């Protein structure tokens, strides 16, 4: 099985039956969240939403998934509780299910320590309790970092109410992976048609907005060592980096944005890494490496939402040096997510 490069896939989704059941209840309750079409499709197979056949892949970790990893020479999945995580539940339910999901994740990893690593989930609805669970997840469960699915009740991490979470991640020296979910209430309007509400377009808009809010809001002056990972080839934020930086400095000059110590360009390079999840475009990869450096780009599949074989073929064939490929395939993941090098 040993390939030329160790392959660590860094945005690989799973779920547990208890969370799936709670999401089925969400699917059956009235609501107007932009996540509902997907939640209905995946967890309740409600007519009109198409039956999205992802649930088996999410729940099965040690069977079909491991077999497929073997077949394709994928050494490791860095697992994360799939979107929307626990962020659609009330605070008590969310805290309880986050703890349960983290315990299960740690158990799976303990059975296959060379094949799985994991990002801990937490409930931003209850920031102080979340910070406690984050500590437990790293210190006791030895998980590798954190996953959050963008906004929580349409609020973003530049809001000081979430600072306990950011403080915990920085103090624990663990990266927070901001994965998409359906766009917030203020953002969702025109994104709801034509299937644009999820991975096709809205996911990137949602997480890109979150990342820019954090940088322009001055979050990284308060938490200079905080590391954030964003998937889907950086949700295109680094493609716009020059313009975002230019226009933010203008906004600062006329008093429409807070003065910050660094520029947006500097924050992005210092505080962010990106993954390739779901984007198998050699030109986008080449741009990313040239723009932010091969040390800041990590490989990911986006299992089970994206087929694994093409994601492997894409990276195997990528027109980059072997040294860079080793970084993208595994070295950066080892460094950012504290995974033991082989
Ligand atoms: C899809 C993609 C659905 C992702 C997801 O549900 C997530 C999809 C949480 O393609 O339908 C993803 O992570 O890219
Ligand atoms: Mn994903």
């Amino acid at each position: 099985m040993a390939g030329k490069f160790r392959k660590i896939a860094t945005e690989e989704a799973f779920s547990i039956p208890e969370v799936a059941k709670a999401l089925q209840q969400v699917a059956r309750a009235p609501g107007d969240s932009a996540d509902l079409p997907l939640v209905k499709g995946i967890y309740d197979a409600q007519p009109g939403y198409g039956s999205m056949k992802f649930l088996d892949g999410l729940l099965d970790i040690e069977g079909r998934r491991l077999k497929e990893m073997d077949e394709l020479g994928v050494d490791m999945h860095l697992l994360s509780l799939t979107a929307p995580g626990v962020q659609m539940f009330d605070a008590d339910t969310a805290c309880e299910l986050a703890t349960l999901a983290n315990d299960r994740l740690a158990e799976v990893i303990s059975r296959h320590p060379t094949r799985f690593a994991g990002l801990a989930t937490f409930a931003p609805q209850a920031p102080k309790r979340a910070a406690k669970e984050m500590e437990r997840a790293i210190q006791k469960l030895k998980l590798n970092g954190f996953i959050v699915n963008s906004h929580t009740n349409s609020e973003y991490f530049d809001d000081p109410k979430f600072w306990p979470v950011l403080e915990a991640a920085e103090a624990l020296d663990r990266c927070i992976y901001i994965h998409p979910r359906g766009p917030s209430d203020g953002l969702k309007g025109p994104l709801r048609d034509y299937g644009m509400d999820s991975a096709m377009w809205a996911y990137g808009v949602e997480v890109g907005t979150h990342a820019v809010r954090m940088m322009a809001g001055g979050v990284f002056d308060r938490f200079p060592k905080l590391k954030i990972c964003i998937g889907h080839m950086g949700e295109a934020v680094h493609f716009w980096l020059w313009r975002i930086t230019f226009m933010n400095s203008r906004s600062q000059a006329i008093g429409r944005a807070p003065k910050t110590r660094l520029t947006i360009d500097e924050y992005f390079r210092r505080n962010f890494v990106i993954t390739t999840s779901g984007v198998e475009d050699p030109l986008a990869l080449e741009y990313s490496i040239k723009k932010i450096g091969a040390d800041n780009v990590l490989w990911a599949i986006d299992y089970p939402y994206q087929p694994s074989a093409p994601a492997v073929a894409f990276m195997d064939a990528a027109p980059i040096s072997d040294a860079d490929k080793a970084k993208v395939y595994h070295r950066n993941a080892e460094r950012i997510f504290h995974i033991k090098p082989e």
Side-chain angles (χ1 to χ4, degrees):
M1 192 191 84
K4 185 168 175 189
F5 302 98
R6 186 188 195 191
K7 297 176 172 58
I8 302 178
T10 54
E11 194 202 292
E12 314 315 319
F14 81 101
S15 192
I16 61 172
E18 292 83 349
V19 171
K21 188 151 176 275
L23 284 172
Q24 188 186 60
Q25 283 164 10
V26 168
R28 291 176 181 183
D32 199 29
S33 156
D35 284 292
L36 271 183
L38 209 90
V39 167
K40 289 179 184 189
I42 294 178
Y43 300 96
D44 206 27
Q46 286 184 24
Y49 294 99
S51 169
M52 299 191 200
K53 304 205 182 322
F54 294 127
L55 192 54
D56 288 349
L58 291 167
L59 294 175
D60 166 73
I61 301 175
E62 295 165 275
R64 191 179 95 192
R65 178 189 311 241
L66 209 46
K67 188 164 167 282
E68 191 182 298
M69 288 166 65
D70 288 342
E71 282 163 9
L72 294 170
V74 175
D75 295 276
M76 182 179 266
H77 275 196
L78 177 65
L79 297 167
S80 49
L81 184 68
T82 198
V86 299
Q87 290 162 254
M88 290 180 83
F89 309 135
D90 66 81
D92 288 344
T93 306
C95 288
E96 203 177 298
L97 286 174
T99 301
L100 184 66
N102 292 338
D103 284 343
R104 293 275 170 75
L105 180 54
E107 285 162 23
V108 169
I109 294 168
S110 74
R111 287 195 289 273
H112 307 274
T114 61
R115 309 308 303 282
F116 297 118
L119 300 178
T121 200
F122 57 87
Q125 297 95 317
K128 291 209 173 103
R129 278 188 277 168
K132 283 226 154 31
E133 176 61 12
M134 291 166 83
E135 268 178 33
R136 188 187 77 97
I138 300 305
Q139 289 167 354
K140 179 151 177 275
L141 302 181
K142 310 289 179 203
L143 295 178
N144 302 80
F146 305 107
I147 180 83
V148 73
N149 297 285
S150 203
H151 74 87
T152 303
N153 296 322
S154 298
E155 292 174 320
Y156 294 90
F157 275 175
D158 55 296
D159 189 322
K161 74 163 63 163
F162 296 117
W163 284 353
V165 163
L166 306 184
E167 203 173 349
E170 189 187 47
L172 292 160
D173 183 30
R174 289 296 185 282
C175 181
I176 303 180
Y177 200 126
I178 304 185
H179 186 277
R181 59 176 290 193
S184 64
D185 287 342
L187 199 55
K188 70 189 177 191
L191 300 170
R192 303 196 81 155
D193 303 313
Y194 317 124
M196 289 165 67
D197 56 347
S198 64
M200 180 214 159
W201 179 251
Y203 276 12
V205 174
E206 166 62 29
V207 173
T209 300
H210 201 154
V212 174
R213 282 190 73 92
M214 289 175 78
M215 292 187 284
V219 164
F220 299 102
D221 284 345
R222 188 164 185 104
F223 304 104
K225 296 202 165 121
L226 180 63
K227 270 278 183 216
I228 301 291
C229 180
I230 52 180
H232 313 108
M233 209 63 97
E235 314 286 9
V237 174
H238 60 310
F239 188 83
W240 296 109
L241 205 47
W242 193 94
R243 186 161 169 83
I244 300 167
T245 302
F246 181 89
M247 290 298 175
N248 173 251
S249 68
R250 181 179 284 174
S251 297
Q252 290 195 21
I254 61 172
R256 295 197 65 218
K259 296 268 187 211
T260 54
R261 287 199 198 116
L262 303 186
T263 66
I264 299 277
D265 185 89
E266 289 166 331
Y267 291 127
F268 197 82
R269 291 168 196 279
R270 186 185 71 179
N271 296 97
F272 283 78
V273 295
I274 73 169
T275 80
T276 64
S277 59
V279 180
E280 290 148 20
D281 178 344
L283 200 54
L285 176 69
E286 194 185 330
Y287 171 82
S288 298
I289 289 175
K290 281 192 175 151
K291 183 72 177 173
I292 62 170
D295 289 332
N296 297 309
V297 182
L298 288 65
W299 179 65
I301 300 168
D302 212 348
Y303 186 94
Y305 303 110
Q306 203 78 19
S308 300
V312 172
F314 159 66
M315 191 51 58
D316 280 343
I320 59 176
S321 71
D322 275 4
D324 284 355
K325 210 172 274 189
K327 288 178 178 181
V328 176
Y329 251 149
H330 69 100
R331 281 194 210 290
N332 296 335
E334 290 160 357
R335 184 183 82 252
I336 298 289
F337 294 111
H338 300 253
I339 294 165
K340 199 166 133 249
E342 270 178 340

